[in-house]
Amino acid sequence: MSTDSTVTGGDGPAAGVVLVGGRSSRMGESKAALEWHGSTLVRRTAGLLARTVDGPVVVVRAPGQPLPELPARVEVVDDPAEGLGPMQGIATGLAALSDRALVAFVCSTDLPFLHPAYIRRVLAALDADVDVVLPHVNGHRQPLATAYRTALAPVVAGLVAHGQLKLAMLFDHCRVRRIDDAALLTDPRLHALDPALDSVLNVNEPDDYR
């Protein structure tokens, strides 16, 4: 059963995936290692997930990418190839969890305002009828703040192998539940704690970070 501090998906313990392998070209330095209120973005994001979900949490990095210290419970896995974008990272993260959890919340490392209530709300919408819960916030899809079935790992890997690297292509190959701002905020806890849905705000450039 879910508690105030952890959450399960509809099919048992939910896991977490944090993607850190992006090139951060606009930021000019690794987002994962950026300082954030005495911690780093990746430690903050991974630690938040680890405290929110019941299952394991993995950080997916580019091959050999250096990372700052992570919480003890968090695992690190390497993408098999660099430069293939979030599709490769999602495939790697889901595959690393597929024998330990049926569902996972997948996010990028650069969500400094990500809130547990948002994670819980998205995971709660992932039931037996769908493979992905895809939030649309302010009219924009949020595929890197989304719940996925870990069984999608070979589907995503197959798309990557065929050079289909856009996340939109994945959503053509699975059952997707799209939930907008209003649907997300029907959850009273999320409405109270993150009414503007700042959970999905990311940092891309130095001005975003300051």
Side-chain angles (χ1 to χ4, degrees):
M1 177 181 296
S2 299
T3 68
D4 287 340
S5 59
T6 57
V7 66
T8 60
D11 296 304
V17 176
V18 182
L19 306 181
V20 302
R23 295 178 178 176
S24 304
S25 56
R26 283 186 286 172
M27 182 63 71
E29 59 184 299
S30 170
K31 293 182 187 179
L34 286 175
E35 189 275 336
W36 189 262
H37 297 283
S39 184
T40 61
L41 280 183
V42 66
R43 183 177 177 86
R44 191 265 177 192
T45 305
L48 178 71
L49 265 183
R51 294 190 301 272
T52 304
V53 301
D54 287 337
V57 173
V58 298
V59 169
V60 182
R61 66 178 181 177
Q65 177 184 358
L67 292 176
E69 183 181 0
L70 295 171
R73 191 186 145 197
V74 175
E75 307 167 26
V76 176
V77 295
D78 285 3
D79 271 334
E82 190 171 5
L84 296 180
M87 282 278 277
Q88 176 67 78
I90 291 172
T92 300
L94 296 182
L97 296 166
S98 60
D99 61 345
R100 294 179 286 168
L102 295 179
V103 301
F105 182 86
V106 177
C107 64
S108 55
T109 191
D110 59 347
L111 300 177
F113 308 111
L114 182 63
H115 197 286
Y118 175 88
I119 298 169
R120 294 187 184 102
R121 174 67 183 96
V122 175
L123 283 168
L126 186 59
D127 58 27
D129 295 326
V130 296
D131 302 309
V132 176
V133 173
L134 178 62
H136 286 235
V137 178
N138 295 323
H140 300 288
R141 292 183 308 182
Q142 304 296 329
L144 299 185
T146 286
Y148 296 84
R149 289 195 172 277
T150 59
L152 288 173
V155 177
V156 187
L159 291 170
V160 172
H162 287 87
Q164 299 181 47
L165 302 180
K166 293 184 178 180
L167 281 165
M169 296 176 177
L170 169 60
F171 305 136
D172 292 333
H173 291 80
C174 58
R175 301 170 300 167
V176 180
R177 172 168 293 150
R178 293 170 170 83
I179 52 176
D180 63 13
D181 311 56
L184 287 164
L185 292 172
T186 58
D187 179 87
R189 189 169 178 83
L190 180 58
H191 189 277
L193 296 172
D194 187 12
L197 298 175
D198 289 338
S199 285
V200 303
L201 293 179
N202 61 355
V203 291
N204 287 313
E205 301 177 358
D207 286 344
D208 298 331
Y209 176 65
R210 296 188 180 103

